[in-house]
């Protein structure tokens, strides 16, 4: 059945995180396959869709240094995402999507308003 895509495994997600991390920061990320894949399976795969997990990875990696980095933890880790950062990131992603939706709705209404014919009001 074509609709049934191959599900990503915890190992696949660990590799996706590693790949995105190394592209962004230019440094190697060492996966602890036993611990990291277990956490991904329990904390991410059970709670989020595959797209949500990848969006969390992208959001965290893109925004970590500005929002959460400190001297003890200068870079994000899979453990952080599985323990607390994943929930924070998904909440911020939802808020960002809501804000974008509101902005689009306002833009649509503004465009419709500009295109309306108000000639009938000129006679008043």
């Amino acid at each position: 059945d074509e609709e049934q895509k191959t599900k990503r495994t915890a190992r696949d997600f660990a590799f996706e995180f590693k790949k995105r991390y190394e592209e962004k920061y230019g440094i190697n990320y060492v996966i602890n396959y036993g611990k990291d894949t277990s956490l991904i399976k329990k904390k991410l795969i059970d709670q989020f869709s595959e797209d949500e997990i990848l969006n969390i990875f992208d959001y965290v990696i893109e925004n970590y240094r500005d929002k959460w980095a400190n001297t003890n933890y200068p870079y994000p880790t899979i453990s952080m995402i599985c323990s607390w950062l994943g929930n924070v990131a998904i909440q911020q992603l939802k808020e960002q999507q809501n804000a974008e939706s509101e902005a689009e709705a306002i833009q649509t209404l503004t465009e419709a308003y500009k295109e309306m014919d108000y000639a009938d009001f000129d006679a008043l």
Side-chain angles (χ1 to χ4, degrees), residues 24-118:
K24 171 72 176 173
Y25 300 118
I27 53 177
N28 189 39
Y29 185 85
V30 178
I31 299 171
N32 176 337
Y33 283 100
K35 183 177 104 176
D36 291 344
T37 56
S38 174
L39 282 170
I40 288 170
K41 193 172 187 179
K42 290 178 195 162
K43 302 290 185 174
L44 298 181
I45 292 175
D46 289 349
Q47 293 182 34
F48 304 109
S49 71
E50 291 189 5
D51 286 342
E52 285 175 325
I53 295 169
L54 296 176
N55 287 339
I56 288 169
F57 287 174
D58 289 338
Y59 186 82
V60 167
I61 289 168
E62 189 60 40
N63 294 289
Y64 186 81
R65 290 180 112 170
D66 295 331
K67 293 180 180 245
W68 304 291
N70 61 53
T71 49
N72 291 330
Y73 302 100
Y75 300 101
T77 64
I78 289 173
S79 297
M80 284 178 190
I81 290 173
C82 292
S83 65
W84 64 274
L85 195 49
N87 288 326
V88 171
I90 200 75
Q91 186 61 40
Q92 290 185 5
L93 274 166
K94 285 180 181 173
E95 289 171 9
Q96 183 178 319
Q97 288 168 344
N98 289 343
E100 288 169 4
S101 294
E102 285 180 26
E104 285 174 23
I106 290 169
Q107 180 67 31
T108 302
L109 288 171
T110 303
E111 292 301 320
Y113 177 79
K114 287 179 183 175
E115 292 175 14
M116 292 177 107
D117 180 11
Y118 293 99

